[in-house]
Amino acid sequence: MNKFKTVAASMLAAAMVLSLTACDEDPGLTDGGNGTSAASNAGAPNAGTTANNAPVSAVTTATFDTDPAVQDAAKSAADKLDNPDLDVDTRIKWMAWWEIDETAANAELFKEVYGIPENGMPVSENYDHTGRIFDYIYTDYNSRYDKLATAIQSGDSPDLFPFEIRDYPYGALQGRYQPIDGIIDLTTDKWASAKDVMDMFVLNGKYYCAIYEISFDSLLYYRKSVIEDAGLEDPRELFENDNWTWDTFLEMIRAFQKSGDDRFATMGYNTEIELLVSTGTPIVSIENGKLVNNMNSANVQRAMDLLTTMQSENLRWPIQENGWSLNPKLWAQGNILFYANGGTWEFEGDGGLKKFADRFSWGDDEICVVPYPRDPQADKYYHFMKQDALMWCKGSTNANGVAAWIDCCVTTALDPEVTAASRKQAKDKYGWSDYNLDFIYSQTALDGTSKITPVFDFKNGIGNDIADASKSESPVEALTKTVYLSGEKTYAQLNAEYFTQIDTRINEINEKISKL
């Protein structure tokens, strides 16, 4: 299962909104101003053009580029569906801050097998439902959970909502979502390769997340010529030789910092979390259907020592002192070794890092990606991964539509013809090189061949009041961000200050999980 399949293209927009700033329009390197984080605009909604929680009738329907090869490959997978005879007569209500691409492989397969649903929300003069399988209900990102709760309470629940790890398991316990294992047979061979990952999300024996793909939550982007000019070993070669560890990472970034003025190792918003989970131990995990507090784990404490080192030696980009903004131009200039602010979407689109390659005519091998380094005490490479899943909303009665859509998603994700067509699309449309594609495809596979083992941290899914990912001072976020960004307190001090509050909440959640 690989991120670049068009089946997952519309999911990229979910990651886009996690960036705290808009895309930088000017890839020039001479103005010295702060740039912003780059992200793909695939599937992006016309945000800001509609009233909160208004249906998409208030905005212009999004348009997407079709790819005949991907569409044809998707249609040929019709005989691989588990339930091709489902009666789907109602469009699927999709509430989100971005619109699903209905030219993608999963949508083409859906239309081929189930046809275009006849019923749905009232037709609007501003929104053409012709040929569509989704009714898009727009919500702005900041009030998305309130809008979803209001819709559910009013008896007009949407059918599907984007999965966000920051709302899990809390959202399920708040009555926003319902289990999907009652409408989908997750014991079939089709789901076998994803079972280990899906089991990490099980709550008291119930499956809420149909995870059919994983992708890198964040990658380290580097310029090959910058590495060579600084006399450093290539990080990808270190990874391939199983020598890409915290030790070699620290050695490299220290040497880079000394090689010129105003040079920093990494630039990104959540680098500290990515490094922490490389131990294989997140701050909060789900084990045997319950949350586990790992704040006192030796692995977590050892990772905090690494973050303390990077802070004390000023190796990371001082984001606080720069208005909490990022400046990818500094990376393009060669003053930042690793741009570390997201997954594949950081490369793609008009605002992606590819813009620098286009403007300055860099070769295909100039921009490279590598995973975060391995904890030298870990038995393998562990990496924070993003999961592609949609949540079945509480109150939704369109079980057939939801089941059919999820089956189309997993079917096209597994289909080799779709994979081949989508890989070609990634090269032709987004400019990816075979060198990077080979790596990303191979390391996001769920068939046991990847060197990387997925890790998920549920620390932000225990309630926004103490785990707001957008606020560095919230108790959960302070654990890592204070250590990595300011150094005002040690992890031992933060642990002593917040452990009881966080542990109490985890115990409260586990009590509720036991009653699901």
Side-chain angles (χ1 to χ4, degrees):
M1 298 186 182
N2 299 296
K3 182 62 187 176
F4 285 93
K5 296 183 181 69
T6 304
V7 59
S10 59
M11 303 298 292
L12 294 176
M16 181 184 74
V17 298
L18 299 183
S19 173
L20 302 182
T21 50
C23 295
D24 182 18
E25 296 297 332
D26 176 17
L29 303 178
T30 58
D31 62 7
N34 279 340
T36 53
S37 59
S40 168
N41 61 2
N46 295 296
T49 60
T50 179
N52 291 348
N53 205 31
V56 79
S57 58
V59 302
T60 303
T61 305
T63 58
F64 302 90
D65 294 333
T66 60
D67 188 305
V70 172
Q71 293 171 317
D72 291 343
K75 292 175 182 178
S76 69
D79 60 348
K80 299 176 183 177
L81 289 173
D82 287 338
N83 296 295
D85 298 325
L86 280 176
D87 181 18
V88 184
D89 62 358
T90 304
R91 291 189 294 273
I92 303 168
K93 289 192 290 184
W94 165 244
M95 178 180 281
W97 48 99
W98 50 279
E99 192 167 357
I100 287 178
D101 178 1
E102 294 203 22
T103 68
N106 44 4
E108 293 298 335
L109 177 57
F110 186 103
K111 288 182 281 190
E112 177 74 10
V113 176
Y114 302 106
I116 304 299
E118 297 178 359
N119 305 310
M121 290 168 52
V123 175
S124 165
E125 62 181 12
N126 296 321
Y127 184 61
D128 185 3
H129 291 277
T130 304
R132 298 182 66 84
I133 58 182
F134 283 92
D135 283 328
Y136 172 41
I137 304 170
Y138 172 80
T139 175
D140 69 286
Y141 185 72
N142 290 331
S143 61
R144 61 201 183 284
Y145 299 135
D146 292 337
K147 303 302 181 181
L148 176 58
T150 298
I152 292 172
Q153 292 166 5
S154 68
D156 189 25
S157 174
D159 298 314
L160 290 173
F161 191 84
F163 172 84
E164 291 184 287
I165 200 166
R166 67 175 61 194
D167 191 42
Y168 195 81
Y170 198 74
L173 301 175
Q174 291 296 104
R176 288 196 272 270
Y177 316 117
Q178 56 184 324
I180 49 87
D181 42 2
I183 61 172
I184 299 169
D185 184 1
L186 299 175
T187 66
T188 64
D189 291 343
K190 184 178 292 185
W191 294 96
S193 62
K195 186 178 186 303
D196 288 346
V197 170
M198 290 177 62
D199 284 349
M200 297 182 195
F201 293 77
V202 170
L203 300 179
N204 196 25
K206 296 180 173 62
Y207 288 83
Y208 288 79
C209 307
I211 299 172
Y212 51 88
E213 283 196 322
I214 61 170
S215 60
F216 286 103
D217 182 71
S218 183
L219 284 161
L220 296 176
Y221 285 85
Y222 66 94
R223 290 181 54 197
K224 197 160 188 173
S225 65
V226 172
I227 291 286
E228 293 173 349
D229 291 344
L232 305 174
E233 292 186 74
D234 189 292
R236 182 81 69 80
E237 292 181 8
L238 289 171
F239 172 78
E240 292 170 351
N241 294 325
D242 200 25
N243 196 29
W244 182 229
T245 67
W246 292 356
D247 295 336
T248 53
F249 173 70
L250 278 174
E251 181 181 350
M252 176 179 295
I253 60 180
R254 284 166 171 160
F256 177 75
Q257 184 190 54
K258 296 175 181 177
S259 66
D261 296 332
D262 297 321
R263 290 194 162 186
F264 299 93
T266 62
M267 176 184 284
Y269 283 119
N270 296 302
T271 309
E272 68 278 6
I273 297 302
E274 306 288 340
L275 289 169
L276 185 148
V277 301
S278 65
T279 64
T281 303
I283 291 177
V284 178
S285 56
I286 293 179
E287 300 174 24
N288 300 317
K290 297 290 185 66
L291 292 181
V292 176
N293 183 353
N294 299 313
M295 287 172 62
N296 289 329
S297 164
N299 286 347
V300 171
Q301 295 183 58
R302 189 171 63 257
M304 293 296 181
D305 290 341
L306 171 66
L307 301 183
T308 298
T309 296
M310 293 184 67
Q311 187 280 326
S312 63
E313 296 184 20
N314 204 28
L315 293 167
R316 79 288 175 273
W317 166 251
I319 191 172
Q320 287 176 298
E321 292 87 338
N322 286 275
W324 293 96
S325 66
L326 305 182
N327 189 350
K329 295 176 184 178
L330 293 179
W331 172 84
Q333 287 175 320
N335 288 332
I336 305 292
L337 188 59
F338 295 111
Y339 194 73
N341 193 53
T344 56
W345 55 90
E346 287 291 359
F347 179 80
E348 301 169 356
D350 294 337
L353 299 180
K354 177 66 163 55
K355 67 184 178 185
F356 296 115
D358 293 340
R359 174 155 182 157
F360 300 107
S361 301
W362 293 342
D364 289 342
D365 63 345
E366 174 65 358
I367 299 179
C368 299
V369 293
V370 70
Y372 282 75
R374 174 176 60 82
D375 172 10
Q377 295 190 33
D379 57 343
K380 59 183 72 173
Y381 282 94
Y382 294 98
H383 211 283
F384 204 134
M385 291 295 191
K386 180 181 177 295
Q387 57 294 319
D388 287 324
L390 304 176
M391 303 302 283
W392 188 24
C393 300
K394 194 81 168 180
S396 165
T397 59
N398 190 7
N400 282 2
V402 171
W405 176 250
I406 291 176
D407 195 13
C408 287
C409 289
V410 67
T411 298
T412 48
L414 290 169
D415 188 83
E417 291 186 31
V418 174
T419 299
S422 298
R423 174 168 175 147
K424 185 176 185 303
Q425 183 188 49
K427 292 177 61 177
D428 296 345
K429 184 175 181 180
Y430 298 116
W432 283 97
S433 67
D434 283 322
Y435 181 64
N436 284 322
L437 288 181
D438 288 344
F439 164 75
I440 294 172
Y441 270 84
S442 65
Q443 299 307 321
T444 54
L446 288 176
D447 58 4
T449 60
S450 172
K451 290 176 61 174
I452 291 175
T453 297
V455 179
F456 304 94
D457 199 328
F458 299 92
K459 66 183 181 64
N460 294 112
I462 63 174
N464 211 43
D465 56 329
I466 66 170
D468 189 342
S470 67
K471 296 180 179 179
S472 61
E473 69 273 14
S474 69
V476 170
E477 284 299 286
L479 293 176
T480 54
K481 283 187 165 52
T482 300
V483 171
Y484 183 68
L485 297 178
S486 69
E488 293 174 356
K489 295 181 180 180
T490 66
Y491 179 65
Q493 292 172 321
L494 293 161
N495 193 335
E497 183 175 351
Y498 294 124
F499 181 87
T500 299
Q501 182 182 9
I502 294 171
D503 197 58
T504 298
R505 172 60 58 82
I506 288 174
N507 290 332
E508 291 171 353
I509 288 178
N510 281 336
E511 181 64 25
K512 293 181 179 180
I513 289 174
S514 66
K515 298 176 182 178
L516 284 174

